[in-house]
Amino acid sequence: MPVVGWHASHEQIPPSQLLRDIQLAEQAGFHAAWSSDHITPWSTRQGESGFALSWLGAAMATTSIPVGVVSTPGQRYHPVVMAQALATLAEMFPGRLSAGFGSGEFMNEHITGDPWPDKATRNARLKESVDVIRALFAGEEVTHHGLVRVDRARLWSLPEQPPRMLALAVSEATARWAAEWADGLVTIWQPAGMLKRIVAAFRENGGEDKPLAMQVHVSWAPDDDEAESIAFDQWRSNVFEAPLCWNLATAEEFDLAAKYVRPEDMYRSVVISSDPARFVECVREAVDLGFDEIYLHHVGQVQQPFIETFGRDVLPALG
């Protein structure tokens, strides 16, 4: 049976409610969880954005499942600050923490007032940041002068086992590059042909034995019309491909960009159904493509009915 996890979307749900939701997800039988990490939501309709690194401490203290976080060191977070935060969590909760690192989105990073680099520069900055973080996890004192700058930094509270550092990739090129340095890969649900190419690019360039994880955006409700309505209300600002989604600055800009998105457009990026069997099929398709871990993100703001239904009708069917 694959690892089937639940995704905590800070952009949509207050952190206090997300804390109750992750506890419910563990009780329902989800094997793990992942968390987003935003300073702003994708839409004013979503309307939340708690601080994930604070929330992770509470979430891990009140559950026993592995938990990961998707984030970006290099601009909003100095890599030394990110390393200290992750090391503290990993020391308190051994073997349970993962971090998924990507090159970031302008919506989160522009708050520093620094220029927004092009994609190649952001990738280079991410690689420098990961190198700094790994060296700090190894107990080294780090000084570095490059796209990020570090002066005589050292972590004094270290975990016995550093957290996994996976790369976020939605294209073949990024997957190929990330295979050289990441402990694994995280991608999103896409057409099977694209996913096969992403997996092959990662496997063929150094990722042969590394784990593959996938986030799947889903919308479940007791009837199909309601499931579609939830997806359209909450996730229509999230349907844009790169580079547009990388370069918008505010929730209001995303809402403006989504002005002409139609309900039927949601099916390209969200698995929408009232039938639990459709989601069983979706997870099995991901496993057949080689993914070890599948994290389901119900795009609605109310999680309890989804968690309970999947705990009863989806997870047991995958055993």
Side-chain angles (χ1 to χ4, degrees), residues 228-229 231-233 235-237 239-240 257-269 272:
E228 181 184 278
S229 178
F232 182 66
D233 175 69
W235 214 244
R236 67 178 181 266
S237 298
V239 300
F240 308 116
K259 184 175 181 180
Y260 298 108
V261 175
R262 304 166 300 172
E264 55 266 34
D265 297 329
M266 302 309 303
Y267 291 85
R268 294 201 301 266
S269 55
I272 303 171

PDB file of all heavy atoms in Angstrom, residues 228-229 231-233 235-237 239-240 257-269 272:
ATOM      1  N   GLU A 228     -18.059  20.193  -7.882  1.00  0.00           N
ATOM      2  CA  GLU A 228     -17.588  21.153  -8.887  1.00  0.00           C
ATOM      3  C   GLU A 228     -17.668  22.578  -8.362  1.00  0.00           C
ATOM      4  O   GLU A 228     -16.759  23.394  -8.582  1.00  0.00           O
ATOM      5  CB  GLU A 228     -18.410  21.018 -10.164  1.00  0.00           C
ATOM      6  CG  GLU A 228     -17.969  21.961 -11.274  1.00  0.00           C
ATOM      7  CD  GLU A 228     -18.873  21.865 -12.483  1.00  0.00           C
ATOM      8  OE1 GLU A 228     -18.672  20.941 -13.301  1.00  0.00           O
ATOM      9  OE2 GLU A 228     -19.792  22.718 -12.616  1.00  0.00           O
ATOM     10  N   SER A 229     -18.726  22.904  -7.662  1.00  0.00           N
ATOM     11  CA  SER A 229     -18.900  24.249  -7.117  1.00  0.00           C
ATOM     12  C   SER A 229     -17.798  24.588  -6.113  1.00  0.00           C
ATOM     13  O   SER A 229     -17.277  25.713  -6.101  1.00  0.00           O
ATOM     14  CB  SER A 229     -20.279  24.366  -6.457  1.00  0.00           C
ATOM     15  OG  SER A 229     -20.453  25.636  -5.879  1.00  0.00           O
ATOM     16  N   ALA A 231     -14.759  23.319  -6.031  1.00  0.00           N
ATOM     17  CA  ALA A 231     -13.514  23.501  -6.772  1.00  0.00           C
ATOM     18  C   ALA A 231     -13.480  24.865  -7.452  1.00  0.00           C
ATOM     19  O   ALA A 231     -12.455  25.569  -7.407  1.00  0.00           O
ATOM     20  CB  ALA A 231     -13.348  22.382  -7.801  1.00  0.00           C
ATOM     21  N   PHE A 232     -14.586  25.261  -8.057  1.00  0.00           N
ATOM     22  CA  PHE A 232     -14.621  26.538  -8.771  1.00  0.00           C
ATOM     23  C   PHE A 232     -14.496  27.711  -7.815  1.00  0.00           C
ATOM     24  O   PHE A 232     -13.763  28.678  -8.071  1.00  0.00           O
ATOM     25  CB  PHE A 232     -15.921  26.642  -9.570  1.00  0.00           C
ATOM     26  CG  PHE A 232     -16.028  27.903 -10.386  1.00  0.00           C
ATOM     27  CD1 PHE A 232     -15.169  28.126 -11.447  1.00  0.00           C
ATOM     28  CD2 PHE A 232     -16.984  28.857 -10.082  1.00  0.00           C
ATOM     29  CE1 PHE A 232     -15.262  29.290 -12.205  1.00  0.00           C
ATOM     30  CE2 PHE A 232     -17.088  30.015 -10.828  1.00  0.00           C
ATOM     31  CZ  PHE A 232     -16.225  30.238 -11.889  1.00  0.00           C
ATOM     32  N   ASP A 233     -15.165  27.636  -6.682  1.00  0.00           N
ATOM     33  CA  ASP A 233     -15.117  28.738  -5.714  1.00  0.00           C
ATOM     34  C   ASP A 233     -13.727  28.906  -5.130  1.00  0.00           C
ATOM     35  O   ASP A 233     -13.205  30.023  -5.044  1.00  0.00           O
ATOM     36  CB  ASP A 233     -16.117  28.491  -4.589  1.00  0.00           C
ATOM     37  CG  ASP A 233     -16.015  29.551  -3.502  1.00  0.00           C
ATOM     38  OD1 ASP A 233     -16.381  30.708  -3.771  1.00  0.00           O
ATOM     39  OD2 ASP A 233     -15.555  29.225  -2.387  1.00  0.00           O
ATOM     40  N   TRP A 235     -10.641  27.166  -5.966  1.00  0.00           N
ATOM     41  CA  TRP A 235      -9.383  26.820  -6.629  1.00  0.00           C
ATOM     42  C   TRP A 235      -9.252  27.382  -8.036  1.00  0.00           C
ATOM     43  O   TRP A 235      -8.283  27.095  -8.736  1.00  0.00           O
ATOM     44  CB  TRP A 235      -9.212  25.299  -6.624  1.00  0.00           C
ATOM     45  CG  TRP A 235      -7.777  24.883  -6.485  1.00  0.00           C
ATOM     46  CD1 TRP A 235      -7.018  24.207  -7.400  1.00  0.00           C
ATOM     47  CD2 TRP A 235      -6.903  25.137  -5.368  1.00  0.00           C
ATOM     48  NE1 TRP A 235      -5.739  24.015  -6.918  1.00  0.00           N
ATOM     49  CE2 TRP A 235      -5.650  24.580  -5.675  1.00  0.00           C
ATOM     50  CE3 TRP A 235      -7.077  25.776  -4.139  1.00  0.00           C
ATOM     51  CZ2 TRP A 235      -4.565  24.644  -4.798  1.00  0.00           C
ATOM     52  CZ3 TRP A 235      -6.008  25.842  -3.263  1.00  0.00           C
ATOM     53  CH2 TRP A 235      -4.777  25.283  -3.594  1.00  0.00           C
ATOM     54  N   ARG A 236     -10.186  28.222  -8.470  1.00  0.00           N
ATOM     55  CA  ARG A 236     -10.072  28.715  -9.840  1.00  0.00           C
ATOM     56  C   ARG A 236      -8.924  29.702 -10.028  1.00  0.00           C
ATOM     57  O   ARG A 236      -8.513  29.961 -11.163  1.00  0.00           O
ATOM     58  CB  ARG A 236     -11.387  29.335 -10.312  1.00  0.00           C
ATOM     59  CG  ARG A 236     -11.835  30.625  -9.637  1.00  0.00           C
ATOM     60  CD  ARG A 236     -13.145  31.077 -10.295  1.00  0.00           C
ATOM     61  NE  ARG A 236     -13.694  32.307  -9.766  1.00  0.00           N
ATOM     62  CZ  ARG A 236     -14.598  32.393  -8.798  1.00  0.00           C
ATOM     63  NH1 ARG A 236     -15.037  31.267  -8.212  1.00  0.00           N
ATOM     64  NH2 ARG A 236     -15.078  33.556  -8.411  1.00  0.00           N
ATOM     65  N   SER A 237      -8.372  30.232  -8.943  1.00  0.00           N
ATOM     66  CA  SER A 237      -7.192  31.088  -9.056  1.00  0.00           C
ATOM     67  C   SER A 237      -5.903  30.277  -9.096  1.00  0.00           C
ATOM     68  O   SER A 237      -4.813  30.865  -9.143  1.00  0.00           O
ATOM     69  CB  SER A 237      -7.140  32.070  -7.878  1.00  0.00           C
ATOM     70  OG  SER A 237      -8.274  32.913  -7.881  1.00  0.00           O
ATOM     71  N   VAL A 239      -5.336  27.629 -11.371  1.00  0.00           N
ATOM     72  CA  VAL A 239      -5.300  26.806 -12.579  1.00  0.00           C
ATOM     73  C   VAL A 239      -4.244  27.266 -13.574  1.00  0.00           C
ATOM     74  O   VAL A 239      -4.070  26.650 -14.622  1.00  0.00           O
ATOM     75  CB  VAL A 239      -6.677  26.788 -13.275  1.00  0.00           C
ATOM     76  CG1 VAL A 239      -7.736  26.217 -12.356  1.00  0.00           C
ATOM     77  CG2 VAL A 239      -7.076  28.186 -13.761  1.00  0.00           C
ATOM     78  N   PHE A 240      -3.501  28.323 -13.254  1.00  0.00           N
ATOM     79  CA  PHE A 240      -2.615  28.933 -14.242  1.00  0.00           C
ATOM     80  C   PHE A 240      -1.267  28.217 -14.288  1.00  0.00           C
ATOM     81  O   PHE A 240      -0.690  27.863 -13.262  1.00  0.00           O
ATOM     82  CB  PHE A 240      -2.405  30.415 -13.924  1.00  0.00           C
ATOM     83  CG  PHE A 240      -3.698  31.149 -13.751  1.00  0.00           C
ATOM     84  CD1 PHE A 240      -4.036  31.707 -12.528  1.00  0.00           C
ATOM     85  CD2 PHE A 240      -4.597  31.237 -14.787  1.00  0.00           C
ATOM     86  CE1 PHE A 240      -5.231  32.363 -12.354  1.00  0.00           C
ATOM     87  CE2 PHE A 240      -5.800  31.886 -14.622  1.00  0.00           C
ATOM     88  CZ  PHE A 240      -6.124  32.449 -13.407  1.00  0.00           C
ATOM     89  N   ALA A 257      -6.901  37.573 -12.666  1.00  0.00           N
ATOM     90  CA  ALA A 257      -6.494  36.644 -13.721  1.00  0.00           C
ATOM     91  C   ALA A 257      -7.512  35.529 -13.920  1.00  0.00           C
ATOM     92  O   ALA A 257      -7.652  34.988 -15.023  1.00  0.00           O
ATOM     93  CB  ALA A 257      -5.126  36.052 -13.385  1.00  0.00           C
ATOM     94  N   ALA A 258      -8.253  35.187 -12.842  1.00  0.00           N
ATOM     95  CA  ALA A 258      -9.228  34.088 -12.902  1.00  0.00           C
ATOM     96  C   ALA A 258     -10.610  34.537 -13.355  1.00  0.00           C
ATOM     97  O   ALA A 258     -11.550  33.735 -13.333  1.00  0.00           O
ATOM     98  CB  ALA A 258      -9.334  33.435 -11.526  1.00  0.00           C
ATOM     99  N   LYS A 259     -10.726  35.769 -13.780  1.00  0.00           N
ATOM    100  CA  LYS A 259     -12.043  36.337 -14.097  1.00  0.00           C
ATOM    101  C   LYS A 259     -12.797  35.510 -15.136  1.00  0.00           C
ATOM    102  O   LYS A 259     -14.023  35.392 -15.078  1.00  0.00           O
ATOM    103  CB  LYS A 259     -11.868  37.773 -14.584  1.00  0.00           C
ATOM    104  CG  LYS A 259     -13.167  38.513 -14.847  1.00  0.00           C
ATOM    105  CD  LYS A 259     -12.892  39.968 -15.204  1.00  0.00           C
ATOM    106  CE  LYS A 259     -14.180  40.739 -15.457  1.00  0.00           C
ATOM    107  NZ  LYS A 259     -13.905  42.166 -15.803  1.00  0.00           N
ATOM    108  N   TYR A 260     -12.086  34.933 -16.085  1.00  0.00           N
ATOM    109  CA  TYR A 260     -12.754  34.209 -17.172  1.00  0.00           C
ATOM    110  C   TYR A 260     -12.591  32.693 -17.076  1.00  0.00           C
ATOM    111  O   TYR A 260     -12.894  31.977 -18.025  1.00  0.00           O
ATOM    112  CB  TYR A 260     -12.228  34.723 -18.524  1.00  0.00           C
ATOM    113  CG  TYR A 260     -12.532  36.187 -18.734  1.00  0.00           C
ATOM    114  CD1 TYR A 260     -11.526  37.142 -18.664  1.00  0.00           C
ATOM    115  CD2 TYR A 260     -13.847  36.613 -18.964  1.00  0.00           C
ATOM    116  CE1 TYR A 260     -11.806  38.494 -18.830  1.00  0.00           C
ATOM    117  CE2 TYR A 260     -14.134  37.959 -19.130  1.00  0.00           C
ATOM    118  CZ  TYR A 260     -13.114  38.893 -19.056  1.00  0.00           C
ATOM    119  OH  TYR A 260     -13.410  40.229 -19.217  1.00  0.00           O
ATOM    120  N   VAL A 261     -12.113  32.199 -15.939  1.00  0.00           N
ATOM    121  CA  VAL A 261     -12.063  30.753 -15.728  1.00  0.00           C
ATOM    122  C   VAL A 261     -13.487  30.231 -15.574  1.00  0.00           C
ATOM    123  O   VAL A 261     -14.312  30.828 -14.879  1.00  0.00           O
ATOM    124  CB  VAL A 261     -11.217  30.407 -14.484  1.00  0.00           C
ATOM    125  CG1 VAL A 261     -11.271  28.911 -14.192  1.00  0.00           C
ATOM    126  CG2 VAL A 261      -9.775  30.857 -14.674  1.00  0.00           C
ATOM    127  N   ARG A 262     -13.787  29.114 -16.229  1.00  0.00           N
ATOM    128  CA  ARG A 262     -15.126  28.518 -16.180  1.00  0.00           C
ATOM    129  C   ARG A 262     -15.124  27.285 -15.274  1.00  0.00           C
ATOM    130  O   ARG A 262     -14.072  26.668 -15.064  1.00  0.00           O
ATOM    131  CB  ARG A 262     -15.550  28.105 -17.586  1.00  0.00           C
ATOM    132  CG  ARG A 262     -15.516  29.223 -18.607  1.00  0.00           C
ATOM    133  CD  ARG A 262     -15.607  28.653 -20.013  1.00  0.00           C
ATOM    134  NE  ARG A 262     -14.479  27.742 -20.272  1.00  0.00           N
ATOM    135  CZ  ARG A 262     -14.398  26.988 -21.372  1.00  0.00           C
ATOM    136  NH1 ARG A 262     -15.337  27.014 -22.296  1.00  0.00           N
ATOM    137  NH2 ARG A 262     -13.350  26.187 -21.529  1.00  0.00           N
ATOM    138  N   PRO A 263     -16.294  26.914 -14.735  1.00  0.00           N
ATOM    139  CA  PRO A 263     -16.339  25.706 -13.897  1.00  0.00           C
ATOM    140  C   PRO A 263     -15.763  24.479 -14.590  1.00  0.00           C
ATOM    141  O   PRO A 263     -15.057  23.677 -13.961  1.00  0.00           O
ATOM    142  CB  PRO A 263     -17.829  25.548 -13.599  1.00  0.00           C
ATOM    143  CG  PRO A 263     -18.361  26.947 -13.639  1.00  0.00           C
ATOM    144  CD  PRO A 263     -17.594  27.627 -14.739  1.00  0.00           C
ATOM    145  N   GLU A 264     -16.025  24.328 -15.879  1.00  0.00           N
ATOM    146  CA  GLU A 264     -15.526  23.148 -16.577  1.00  0.00           C
ATOM    147  C   GLU A 264     -14.002  23.152 -16.725  1.00  0.00           C
ATOM    148  O   GLU A 264     -13.389  22.095 -16.957  1.00  0.00           O
ATOM    149  CB  GLU A 264     -16.171  23.011 -17.956  1.00  0.00           C
ATOM    150  CG  GLU A 264     -16.040  24.226 -18.861  1.00  0.00           C
ATOM    151  CD  GLU A 264     -17.227  25.172 -18.791  1.00  0.00           C
ATOM    152  OE1 GLU A 264     -17.814  25.306 -17.678  1.00  0.00           O
ATOM    153  OE2 GLU A 264     -17.573  25.766 -19.833  1.00  0.00           O
ATOM    154  N   ASP A 265     -13.377  24.313 -16.585  1.00  0.00           N
ATOM    155  CA  ASP A 265     -11.924  24.374 -16.653  1.00  0.00           C
ATOM    156  C   ASP A 265     -11.251  23.722 -15.439  1.00  0.00           C
ATOM    157  O   ASP A 265     -10.065  23.391 -15.499  1.00  0.00           O
ATOM    158  CB  ASP A 265     -11.461  25.831 -16.748  1.00  0.00           C
ATOM    159  CG  ASP A 265     -11.938  26.521 -18.014  1.00  0.00           C
ATOM    160  OD1 ASP A 265     -12.082  25.837 -19.046  1.00  0.00           O
ATOM    161  OD2 ASP A 265     -12.173  27.746 -17.963  1.00  0.00           O
ATOM    162  N   MET A 266     -11.992  23.562 -14.361  1.00  0.00           N
ATOM    163  CA  MET A 266     -11.386  23.059 -13.134  1.00  0.00           C
ATOM    164  C   MET A 266     -10.928  21.609 -13.262  1.00  0.00           C
ATOM    165  O   MET A 266     -10.023  21.170 -12.539  1.00  0.00           O
ATOM    166  CB  MET A 266     -12.385  23.167 -11.974  1.00  0.00           C
ATOM    167  CG  MET A 266     -12.886  24.585 -11.704  1.00  0.00           C
ATOM    168  SD  MET A 266     -11.545  25.780 -11.540  1.00  0.00           S
ATOM    169  CE  MET A 266     -10.599  25.058 -10.228  1.00  0.00           C
ATOM    170  N   TYR A 267     -11.523  20.868 -14.189  1.00  0.00           N
ATOM    171  CA  TYR A 267     -11.213  19.447 -14.287  1.00  0.00           C
ATOM    172  C   TYR A 267      -9.803  19.191 -14.808  1.00  0.00           C
ATOM    173  O   TYR A 267      -9.300  18.071 -14.690  1.00  0.00           O
ATOM    174  CB  TYR A 267     -12.239  18.757 -15.184  1.00  0.00           C
ATOM    175  CG  TYR A 267     -13.609  18.693 -14.555  1.00  0.00           C
ATOM    176  CD1 TYR A 267     -14.493  19.763 -14.670  1.00  0.00           C
ATOM    177  CD2 TYR A 267     -14.014  17.583 -13.822  1.00  0.00           C
ATOM    178  CE1 TYR A 267     -15.753  19.726 -14.087  1.00  0.00           C
ATOM    179  CE2 TYR A 267     -15.271  17.534 -13.231  1.00  0.00           C
ATOM    180  CZ  TYR A 267     -16.131  18.610 -13.368  1.00  0.00           C
ATOM    181  OH  TYR A 267     -17.384  18.568 -12.777  1.00  0.00           O
ATOM    182  N   ARG A 268      -9.137  20.220 -15.342  1.00  0.00           N
ATOM    183  CA  ARG A 268      -7.763  20.038 -15.821  1.00  0.00           C
ATOM    184  C   ARG A 268      -6.774  19.911 -14.675  1.00  0.00           C
ATOM    185  O   ARG A 268      -5.708  19.305 -14.838  1.00  0.00           O
ATOM    186  CB  ARG A 268      -7.358  21.212 -16.719  1.00  0.00           C
ATOM    187  CG  ARG A 268      -8.130  21.296 -18.027  1.00  0.00           C
ATOM    188  CD  ARG A 268      -7.352  22.125 -19.041  1.00  0.00           C
ATOM    189  NE  ARG A 268      -7.100  23.481 -18.548  1.00  0.00           N
ATOM    190  CZ  ARG A 268      -7.887  24.522 -18.806  1.00  0.00           C
ATOM    191  NH1 ARG A 268      -8.985  24.363 -19.534  1.00  0.00           N
ATOM    192  NH2 ARG A 268      -7.579  25.721 -18.345  1.00  0.00           N
ATOM    193  N   SER A 269      -7.099  20.501 -13.507  1.00  0.00           N
ATOM    194  CA  SER A 269      -6.124  20.502 -12.417  1.00  0.00           C
ATOM    195  C   SER A 269      -6.653  19.926 -11.110  1.00  0.00           C
ATOM    196  O   SER A 269      -5.891  19.767 -10.159  1.00  0.00           O
ATOM    197  CB  SER A 269      -5.622  21.927 -12.165  1.00  0.00           C
ATOM    198  OG  SER A 269      -6.694  22.810 -11.915  1.00  0.00           O
ATOM    199  N   ILE A 272     -12.388  15.877  -9.571  1.00  0.00           N
ATOM    200  CA  ILE A 272     -13.674  16.293  -9.021  1.00  0.00           C
ATOM    201  C   ILE A 272     -14.669  15.150  -9.168  1.00  0.00           C
ATOM    202  O   ILE A 272     -14.916  14.669 -10.277  1.00  0.00           O
ATOM    203  CB  ILE A 272     -14.211  17.538  -9.753  1.00  0.00           C
ATOM    204  CG1 ILE A 272     -13.198  18.684  -9.668  1.00  0.00           C
ATOM    205  CG2 ILE A 272     -15.565  17.965  -9.192  1.00  0.00           C
ATOM    206  CD1 ILE A 272     -13.542  19.877 -10.550  1.00  0.00           C
TER     207      ILE A 272
END
